[in-house]
Amino acid sequence: MANNTTEFSCPSIDDFRNQVYSTAYSIITILGLVGNGFALVVLIRTYRQSSAFHVYMLNLAVADLLCVCTLPFRVLYYVQKGHWILGDFLCRISSYALYVNLYCSIFFMMAMSFARFLAIVFPVQNLRLATERRARVVCACIWVFICGTSSPFLMSGQHFDPKTNKTKCFEPPEESGSLKKLVVLNYFSLVVGFIIPFLVILVCYIGIVRALLGNSNAKKQQNTRTKAIRMIVVVMLAFLVSFMPYHVQRTVHLHFKKQGASCDEINYMQKSVVITLCLAAANSCFDPMLYFFSGENSRHRLSTFRKASVNSLNMKRNRKMPPSAQPLQKSELEN
């Protein structure tokens, strides 16, 4: 806030923050573990049917699971009324993992959108460009870039707040010069981590829609058209619900902190921080939809996974049964 007098005279939103964060992160943890865990198992079990899209989705599921596994630490923190008891290392890792997942999700969505753009608009060039090897290189570059540029979040760990007599985490202490660093970091992540990928995705989708409209009478394009439309809907939903509100609100909030505001404006901004950060973390729940609704051969992969699971169970049962009780093979029945 602009001045300590205004901040201390305003009512606290700690109860609101603790209830919303603990509830939202608990729901996101359950949905994220189930959805991304199942997607990861299917992707690994059907890796022989791999493609560039498959490689991007595999890395996206890994990023989501790494983030979701740290959310219970945040739940515990807010259940403890804003008191951190898990040590400095886990505090840094929990902060770091959330932002790595956030921007990895954005960049992997951009990569998948560009891959689908090549497949529809430039199908001949796509055979040469969109290979598994190139996709792995792109994923490696994304991981290195995001992990490196998100490293400032590792710099702030737990700290003791003498006013509340509690150990804090996820709440950087008010220090001289810290606000300027936050503003610089915010505008860098806003431009590089959100605006540029969003513009690339929009250009890709405009090209996809134009190509599909030009081939609207081709029946063989129906499956491709359906997958492309589903992908556009899911990605745009993730950006409009999770990514855009968070980046817009964060920028506005930092502007208010520089300019000063009334108590009503301060409370409104603080509550909007809570809501939009929960929405940003919820992107882990959107990502499995991207695979199951728009993935390449997703139904065939699920069928292959189901058959493999059934065969594996049958083999285990047959091993446990005595030879005389095992079912006859097809060749034996024919004899």
Side-chain angles (χ1 to χ4, degrees), residues 26 89 189 225 297:
S26 298
F89 176 75
S189 59
R225 188 181 304 113
N297 302 321

Side-chain angles (χ1 to χ4, degrees), residues 45-303:
R45 292 289 295 273
T46 60
Y47 197 75
R48 292 181 179 178
Q49 308 169 26
S50 182
S51 64
F53 194 92
H54 178 279
V55 173
Y56 294 135
M57 276 306 310
L58 186 64
N59 281 268
L60 184 58
V62 170
D64 286 335
L65 284 176
L66 291 176
C67 173
V68 167
C69 289
T70 64
L71 290 183
F73 302 145
R74 290 177 175 262
V75 174
L76 179 62
Y77 175 70
Y78 293 110
V79 168
Q80 295 284 339
K81 307 299 182 183
H83 179 55
W84 184 257
I85 59 174
L86 299 177
D88 183 69
F89 176 75
L90 285 179
C91 175
R92 295 173 188 267
I93 292 298
S94 298
S95 299
Y96 183 63
L98 180 64
Y99 293 100
V100 168
N101 163 257
L102 179 68
Y103 292 106
C104 276
S105 296
I106 292 175
F107 273 76
F108 285 133
M109 286 182 183
M110 179 181 67
M112 286 185 287
S113 300
F114 186 71
R116 188 58 55 85
F117 169 78
L118 286 178
I120 295 176
V121 181
F122 303 103
V124 177
Q125 294 85 341
N126 177 66
L127 297 175
R128 178 174 56 87
L129 296 176
T131 63
E132 291 181 53
R133 183 175 181 180
R134 291 178 185 272
R136 294 192 190 100
V137 172
V138 171
C139 290
C141 293
I142 290 175
W143 279 109
V144 171
F145 176 72
I146 297 300
C147 290
T149 53
S150 300
S151 58
F153 293 105
L154 286 172
M155 303 305 172
S156 59
Q158 69 178 27
H159 63 277
F160 182 74
D161 184 6
K163 299 168 187 165
T164 59
N165 200 29
K166 292 180 180 179
T167 301
K168 296 294 182 179
C169 184
F170 317 124
E171 303 169 28
E174 295 291 338
E175 298 175 352
S176 58
S178 62
L179 183 58
K180 292 183 180 179
K181 294 179 182 179
L182 286 175
V183 171
V184 173
L185 184 61
N186 170 70
Y187 280 108
F188 175 80
S189 59
L190 177 66
V191 174
V192 178
F194 175 73
I195 293 178
I196 293 178
F198 188 52
L199 291 177
V200 172
I201 289 173
L202 284 180
V203 171
C204 290
Y205 289 168
I206 291 172
I208 289 173
V209 171
R210 289 184 61 184
L212 293 177
L213 291 177
N215 296 326
S216 58
N217 295 325
K219 293 183 178 179
K220 64 180 182 180
Q221 296 290 333
Q222 184 63 37
N223 186 37
T224 301
R225 188 181 304 113
T226 301
K227 289 189 295 185
I229 292 174
R230 288 176 178 174
M231 181 178 185
I232 291 173
V233 171
V234 174
V235 172
M236 294 307 297
L237 188 65
F239 267 85
L240 295 177
V241 174
S242 289
F243 303 137
M244 184 177 289
Y246 171 70
H247 284 88
V248 171
Q249 187 281 332
R250 189 177 67 186
T251 304
V252 174
H253 180 59
L254 289 174
H255 175 74
F256 267 83
K257 292 189 73 172
K258 290 177 62 177
Q259 299 296 327
S262 65
C263 278
D264 290 339
E265 292 174 332
I266 290 173
N267 286 336
Y268 175 79
M269 293 304 301
Q270 288 177 337
K271 288 181 179 180
S272 66
V273 168
V274 174
I275 300 299
T276 55
L277 186 56
C278 290
L279 292 175
N283 80 87
S284 300
C285 303
F286 283 104
D287 295 338
M289 296 170 54
L290 186 61
Y291 171 74
F292 291 116
F293 290 161
S294 63
E296 295 178 350
N297 302 321
S298 56
R299 292 184 180 179
H300 178 66
R301 292 179 189 274
L302 289 174
S303 178

Side-chain angles (χ1 to χ4, degrees), residues 10-16 267 270:
C10 294
S12 172
I13 66 159
D14 285 353
D15 291 338
F16 172 83
N267 286 336
Q270 288 177 337

